[in-house]
Amino acid sequence: MTTYTATVTVRLKRGVLDPEAETTKRALERLGFELDALRSADQFEVDLDAESAEAAADRADEMAERLLANPTIHDYDVEVAES
Amino acid sequence: MTTYTATVTVRLKRGVLDPEAETTKRALERLGFELDALRSADQFEVDLDAESAEAAADRADEMAERLLANPTIHDYDVEVAES
């Protein structure tokens, strides 16, 4: 067994309103920054033991499906690295 | 001017309590997943026009310093890609 770190990034799907990001963008503009758009995402770094990187990615994928992401409004991606 | 996407990832510093991550970890364990640790982070994807990737990174860095991260409790990193 090897220890892997799976990084699950959960984003709102295109078209889903993101008031937090909108507020953050306006606050940055009020500070004088120029920006075209701002999107926010949640990232989860999960340390887990698995037989292979593929097995770790599969498990992280299942975690995203079952708990970390809401498939109605979220897209997610999973990256795995040895830790 | 080129349009870049700067990704700012804001993490809690080591040693700072993260009750949200702790709750998420326990919820995953209750679902039957085995994991050693879970850390959560906020990610901001900022689209901006800049003369160079370095200029875009500098501007995103200043956004993190001034608003996106709290230097008392957060570390952050910035990655820039052409978009």
Side-chain angles (χ1 to χ4, degrees):
Chain A
M1 300 281 262
T2 315
T3 303
Y4 295 92
T5 298
T7 303
V8 182
T9 306
V10 179
R11 293 182 179 78
L12 286 169
K13 286 185 178 176
R14 246 170 221 296
V16 178
L17 291 179
D18 187 350
E20 183 196 339
E22 201 44 53
T23 305
T24 306
K25 177 171 185 279
R26 275 205 301 273
L28 285 168
E29 287 167 342
R30 226 174 294 125
L31 289 171
F33 291 107
E34 281 174 34
L35 59 160
D36 296 336
L38 184 146
R39 297 172 293 286
S40 65
D42 287 322
Q43 206 172 62
F44 301 93
E45 293 175 10
V46 184
D47 296 337
L48 42 83
D49 294 324
E51 295 294 345
S52 67
E54 290 68 37
D58 286 351
R59 190 139 31 113
D61 206 82
E62 210 191 322
M63 289 179 190
E65 292 281 347
R66 294 195 56 193
L67 186 82
L68 303 177
N70 173 347
T72 310
I73 55 168
H74 291 137
D75 287 324
Y76 67 88
D77 59 62
V78 174
E79 280 170 48
V80 170
E82 257 183 71
S83 61
Chain B
M1 300 283 261
T2 315
T3 303
Y4 295 93
T5 298
T7 303
V8 181
T9 306
V10 179
R11 293 183 179 78
L12 286 170
K13 286 185 177 175
R14 244 169 225 294
V16 179
L17 291 179
D18 187 349
E20 182 195 339
E22 200 44 52
T23 304
T24 307
K25 178 172 184 278
R26 274 205 302 272
L28 286 168
E29 287 168 342
R30 225 174 294 125
L31 289 171
F33 290 106
E34 281 174 34
L35 60 159
D36 296 337
L38 185 146
R39 295 172 296 284
S40 65
D42 287 323
Q43 206 172 63
F44 301 93
E45 293 177 8
V46 184
D47 296 338
L48 41 84
D49 294 323
E51 296 294 345
S52 65
E54 289 69 35
D58 285 350
R59 189 138 32 112
D61 205 80
E62 209 190 324
M63 290 179 189
E65 292 281 348
R66 292 195 56 193
L67 186 83
L68 304 176
N70 173 348
T72 309
I73 55 168
H74 290 139
D75 287 324
Y76 66 88
D77 59 62
V78 174
E79 280 170 48
V80 170
E82 258 184 68
S83 63

